[in-house]
Every structure is written in structure tokens, then in C-alpha cells.
């Protein structure tokens, strides 16, 4: 599943808290507990593993929770909770025939010995079964409800440490279930059973997120202040490789200027690459570090599967007209933005599939900057130029587009203003209306309240089939409690069929052809307006070892037990 790069007290309040927090690790002695302070630009709307797919949440929970499986920095799938990935070769996966004539797969996962929630309760198959029950409930509203409700036919268990997932289809990549996080049934099941529709608001992850028993990773959440910080401490019941750092605090610092100031002052030790500075900000800050802090930081620019784009509500006029969407594409000078802002390092995206992905093709419709073509498309769509230079339809309605992004993200705001200027030249009035990330992605997008364009990024895993963002069954509605991530309400039966076929077409040539069809249709239909594929800058102090950027959905913190401090 893709995850958007999203997602508060006023800035002054944040500064007061973060500047008064524990001393930076670089200033601590061997006798004091090691405390690592990490700056991130957004605060998560929830800490529940199944709700609101947000990078901020993934980065924090990576140290305190684990999915069953994940992709590592080498982009290979691996077990995080299980002992071995099921396959037909090792006998942990078998085909099974269902009464209606369908063929599925029964995949058996064995839980790693010794895993326990941070109150000492053993992690068992029952916690996965409970998570599945939450995920498939029609009123729960989890981010990827389709996976739980339709992909999984049943889950059975033969022992507390063993579960068999009965998949409804014979999928190609069935073994990797990166979206499957267990939930502590001993704490959460009663809350869920009492009121499934309001579970999202009543869960302990929201009402008491530092409650013991919610986490089973190397760390547990010890204390937090909404919008400001989350502090993690070692989980005493963790039996894996012992983490070397005693405490980790994630501090929310929403502007790039404040992030860099905090790093230079020592209020934070490390700026998260997953959710810190953008490429242009990183390039500028690296130059400052070379003069002000020479030799103190390792800087890594990690290219990866982060796709910056603009969503539009396609079920509402005028955005339901593809001619308008194509005009908006031709009206943007994305090449100039790349040159002026990113020093040529982030070329315009052709679609939602990154060139680093083996499935990528460039044999698609292209949208170079072409104001004349944009004008012709708008004329054809019935939008004529008025005396003031803006476009109007036959009813005299002005072509005005509300345009939002995450407030405080300076890079996005600069790009947003450049696009606003470009669109004005073709007669489109872009009205900027930004919101804090936690609001934008907590309700505005999830509940489809946005009225025009929203600029943000999806972060995906290698080989990810974009079902949650493009399939017509994944449109969030009040009826499904806003499950799904197809925020644009894009619906095309041809795209649905391609996505469905991709899941079960495993022969390499046929599979690659389907990926080509998906990208061509995406470029023609424009479910979203492609901007660029991002590279993420990591500013890592030279004394912090073991941080390995992945370039995809799974954050560095999933391997936080490998981190260490050496001065």
C-alpha cells in the first residue's frame, strides 16, 4: 500500500518544548543515558498502526511496532515478525480450491519466539486475527480495508505462535504482507467490540498512546505531547537484538528554517530524511554545514519511490473533464522548477511509477510545458478568455482552482507559487489555501473535503500495485467510514481490470505488459497531475552509526536496533 508523505500546537509552543528537552547526544557523557533527538516536519494524526497512512506515523512506529514483513534497504522482502517467508518451495504455502471454483493460497507464518507486548503479554496469532477483524469490518475505516476484507478469506491457527492466512486469490507476491500489523487483543478487542464505527476515536492509541501493552518493538512510547514530540524508551520485554540508544525523541518542527536552526543549535541531533528537508533545502543546508559544522555530518541524498503530485476531485466539475487536467499539465513549467529549485536533480515525473522501478516505461503521453496547447484545450473545454485574462465558461463562472499543500513546507510553498503563476498565464486562477499537515491529511483528504488541487507525495514500496490509490473500490466514503486512499475518486473499469490482473499475472512478459498498460492509461486519464520523483536528504551526525536509508515505504527505524552512538 502507498503511503502519502503527510502529516500541532503553534510553532512558538513547539520551540519552547524542544529547546528545553534533553541535552543533545553529542554533549552527553558515557555516564549519562544516551538520548537521540530527531527532528521531523510533521506530527501524526494517530499512532494506531491501521489508521491514516502517514510517513510521520511510520517513522515513529517503526521503532515501536513491526509489520509481519517489510522491504529492506536492498529492496528485498524479509520477515519482521515471522521466522520464514512462506513459499511453495518450503512447504509453508499451498494452493487450495474453494467451493465456488476459485483457487487461493494458504500461507503459514510462524511468529518469532519471545515477542511480547511491552506489558509482558506474549504476541500471538490472536493479535493478528483481531487486527484482521478490525481491518475487514465495514465500519472500521482502516486505510487498506480492501486487503483485510477481500484479499483474506480466513485466518486459522494451529498454535499460539502460528497462523495460516487463506488468501482469496492466487496472487504473485502473496508472501509479503507489509500492511499487516498485529493489534493487542488483550487491550483493544473490548474497545472495538463495544463500538466498531467509533473505534478509531476510542482506541488507546489515540486516548492513551503511552499505555503499556500497545507496542512490541525495541522501543515503546514513554511520553508525548500532541503536535510537539514523542519520546521512546527501551521496551524491557524486547528479546531481539538489544538497542544501544536509551531514549529517542521525535520532535515536530514544521518549518525548514526551524529544523536547520535546531540542528545547528544542538536542540536536535539528526534531521529525519523521510520527513525533514526537501532536496532544495538539503542542498542549501549542506553548503552551510560545510562552513559552520565541517566534518560533523554525513549527508546522504537517497533517491526513491516518493512521488510528488497534485490530486483533484475528479467527481466534481470542472475537474471531471480530462481536457482541463491536460491543460493544467501543459500549463506547468515543471522543467524550469527542476532547474531553478532542484539544480536539475528532480526531473518531471511521467506518471506514478518511478524510473527506479523495473516496471517503468517512458512510452506514455508526455506533457511538456506548452501554453499554446493548454490554451487550445481550455478553449475546446468551453473556457474562454475574459477581459481580465482569466477563463470563464458559458455561465460566466470563473475558472478558479483552490490549491492546497502542507502549510509551513517552504519548498512546497515556493513550487506552489510557481505553479500558480504558470496557471495564471493560461487564464486559471489558483487560490492558495494551505493547511497544517495533520489537518490536511487527518480529515480534509481522508474525508474528501478538498475543493481543488492538493499537492503532496505518495511513498510506496518496491513493486507496489497502486490499488489503494487507483481502484474504484478504494474511494473513501461515509458509507465505508472513509476507508481507502483513492482520494480523487478516479474510476475507470479499464484501470480496475489492469490492477486486478496485475495481482494474479505472474509470468514476467505478461506482467510487464500490464504495467505498461497501467502507465499509459495513467498518463492519458491523469488521475493526478504528476510533478516529480523526490530524493530525500539525510543529515546524520558522524557519531551515529547504522542508519540505512531505504528509499521506499519502509522507514529506517524498522531497523533501529542496529543504530549506535560512537564518539
Amino acid at each position: 500500500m502507498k503511503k502519502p508523505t503527510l502529516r500541532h500546537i503553534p510553532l512558538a509552543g513547539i520551540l519552547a518544548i524542544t529547546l528545553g528537552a534533553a541535552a543533545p547526544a553529542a554533549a552527553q557523557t558515557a555516564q549519562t543515558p544516551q538520548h537521540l533527538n530527531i527532528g521531523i516536519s510533521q506530527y501524526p494524526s494517530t499512532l494506531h498502526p491501521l489508521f491514516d497512512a502517514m510517513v510521520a506515523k511510520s517513522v515513529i512506529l517503526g521503532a515501536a511496532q513491526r509489520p509481519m514483513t517489510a522491504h529492506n534497504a536492498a529492496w528485498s522482502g524479509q520477515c519482521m515478525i515471522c521466522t520464514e517467508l512462506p513459499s511453495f518451495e518450503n512447504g509453508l504455502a499451498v494452493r487450495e480450491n474453494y467451493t465456488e471454483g476459485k483457487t487461493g493460497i494458504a500461507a503459514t507464518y510462524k511468529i518469532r519466539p519471545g515477542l511480547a507486548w511491552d506489558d509482558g503479554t506474549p504476541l500471538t496469532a490472536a493479535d493478528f486475527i483481531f487486527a484482521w477483524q478490525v481491518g475487514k469490518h465495514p465500519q472500521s475505516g482502516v486505510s487498506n480495508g480492501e486487503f483485510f476484507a477481500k484479499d483474506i478469506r480466513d485466518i486459522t491457527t494451529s498454535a499460539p505462535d502460528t497462523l495460516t492466512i487463506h488468501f482469496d486469490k492466487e496472487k504473485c507476491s502473496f508472501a509479503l504482507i507489509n500492511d499487516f500489523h498485529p493489534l493487542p487483543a488483550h487491550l483493544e478487542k473490548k474497545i472495538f467490540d463495544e463500538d466498531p464505527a467509533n473505534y478509531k476515536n476510542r482506541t488507546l492509541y489515540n486516548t492513551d498512546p503511552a499505555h503499556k501493552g500497545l507496542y512490541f518493538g525495541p522501543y515503546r512510547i514513554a511520553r508525548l505531547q500532541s503536535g510537539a514530540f514523542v519520546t521512546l524508551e527501551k521496551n524491557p520485554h524486547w528479546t531481539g537484538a538489544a538497542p544501544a540508544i536509551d531514549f529517542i525523541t521525535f520532535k515536530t518542527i514544521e518549518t525548514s528554517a526551524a529544523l536547520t536552526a535546531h540542528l545547528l543549535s544542538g536542540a536536535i541531533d539528526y534531521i529525519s530524511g523521510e520527513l525533514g528537508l526537501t532536496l532544495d533545502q538539503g542542498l542549501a543546508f549542506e553548503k552551510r554545514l560545510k562552513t559552520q559544522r565541517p566534518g560533523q555530518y554525513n549527508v546522504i541524498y537517497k533517491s526513491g519511490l516518493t512521488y510528488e503530485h497534485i490530486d483533484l476531485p475528479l467527481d466534481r466539475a470542472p475537474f471531471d473533464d480530462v481536457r482541463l487536467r491536460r491543460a493544467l499539465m501543459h500549463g506547468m513549467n515543471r522543467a524550469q522548477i527542476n532547474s531553478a529549485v532542484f539544480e536539475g536533480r528532480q526531473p518531471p515525473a511521467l506518471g506514478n511509477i518511478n524510473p527506479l522501478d523495473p516496471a517503468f516505461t517512458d512510452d506514455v503521453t508526455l506533457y511538456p510545458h506548452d501554453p499554446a496547447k493548454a490554451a487550445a484545450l481550455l478553449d475546446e473545454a468551453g473556457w474562454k478568455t475574459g477581459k481580465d485574462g482569466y477563463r470563464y465558461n458559458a455561465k460566466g463562472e470563473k475558472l478558479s482552482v483552490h490549491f492546497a499543500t502542507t502549510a509551513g513546507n517552504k519548498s512546497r510553498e515556493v513550487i506552489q507559487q510557481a505553479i500558480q503563476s504558470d496557471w495564471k498565464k493560461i487564464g486559471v486562477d489558483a487560490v492558495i489555501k494551505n493547511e497544517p499537515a495533520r489537518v490536511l491529511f487527518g480529515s480534509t483528504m481522508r474525508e474528501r473535503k478538498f475543493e481543488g488541487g492538493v499537492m503532496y507525495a505518495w511513498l510506496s514500496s518496491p513493486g507496489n500495485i497502486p490499488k489503494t490509490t487507483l481502484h474504484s473500490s478504494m474511494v473513501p466514503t461515509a458509507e465505508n467510514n472513509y476507508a481507502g486512499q483513492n482520494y480523487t475518486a478516479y474510476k475507470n473499469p479499464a484501470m480496475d481490470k489492469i490492477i486486478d490482473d496485475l495481482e494474479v499475472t505472474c509470468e514476467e512478459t505478461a506482467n510487464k505488459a500490464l504495467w505498461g498498460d497501467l502507465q499509459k492509461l495513467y498518463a492519458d486519464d491523469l488521475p493526478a497531475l504528476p510533478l516529480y520523483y523526490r530524493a530525500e536528504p539525510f543529515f546524520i551526525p558522524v557519531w551515529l552509526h547504522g542508519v540505512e536509508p531505504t528509499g521506499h515505504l519502509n522507514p529506517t527505524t524498522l531497523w533501529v536496533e542496529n543504530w549506535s552512538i560512537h564518539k
Side-chain angles (χ1 to χ4, degrees), residues 18 53 198 270 277 490:
T18 54
N198 288 312
Y270 163 41
L277 302 180
Y490 171 67

Side-chain angles (χ1 to χ4, degrees), residues 161-179:
D161 66 347
T162 305
L163 63 150
T164 298
I165 300 177
H166 301 268
F167 291 106
D168 191 60
K169 297 178 183 177
E170 193 176 347
K171 289 188 176 183
C172 307
S173 56
F174 65 89
L176 292 174
I177 47 175
N178 297 5
D179 283 343

Side-chain angles (χ1 to χ4, degrees), residues 256 260 271 276-289 299-301 341-343 345 411 535-539:
S256 57
T260 55
I271 297 177
L277 302 180
T278 56
L279 177 63
D280 56 312
Q281 296 164 352
L283 292 169
F285 188 51
E286 183 182 12
K287 294 173 184 176
R288 289 179 62 191
L289 285 179
V299 183
I300 300 172
Y301 294 96
V341 178
F342 301 123
E343 299 183 9
R345 299 193 189 195
S411 177
E536 310 291 2
F538 287 74
F539 290 86

